[in-house]
Amino acid sequence: MYVVFRAYGPARDVIGAKTVERELPADATVEELLSRLIDANPELAEWVYDDGSLSSIVSLTVNGTNVSQREGVETPLSAGDEVRVAPPIHGG
């Protein structure tokens, strides 16, 4: 299956593109996608993870829903899903 990964802020700078498409196995999770992206761009790990957990300076969503409201990095992915990583947005 294919999923789309959209990167904003520092993640975009690290990856060198706003959008990349990756082929993953049918039972893939967000963690597997991140692992493959980090294999290709090791410096991405420093921005996405903090002591093995998702960093507080990143907002990670699948189809617009933050993974913290689902199963974290264990959130399953489906064909055509859009995963976004960006600095968190704060409003007031």
Side-chain angles (χ1 to χ4, degrees):
M1 75 172 169
Y2 284 90
V3 297
V4 174
F5 181 76
R6 296 196 192 279
Y8 298 89
R12 181 179 181 174
D13 295 337
V14 168
I15 291 175
K18 179 179 178 182
T19 304
V20 294
E21 189 175 79
R22 288 289 185 262
E23 184 175 12
L24 299 170
D27 61 347
T29 62
V30 170
E31 184 173 38
E32 183 160 353
L33 173 62
L34 290 175
S35 177
R36 289 178 182 219
L37 291 166
I38 289 167
D39 284 347
N41 307 280
E43 52 284 351
L44 183 63
E46 298 169 18
W47 192 74
V48 174
Y49 289 108
D50 183 20
D51 288 333
S53 298
L54 281 179
S55 173
S56 61
I57 63 165
V58 67
S59 173
L60 187 63
T61 64
V62 176
N63 300 327
T65 302
N66 196 297
V67 297
S68 67
Q69 296 173 342
R70 295 184 63 193
E71 298 167 49
V73 294
E74 294 301 319
T75 299
L77 295 172
S78 299
D81 280 352
E82 181 178 285
V83 179
R84 290 182 179 204
V85 64
I89 298 172
H90 300 284

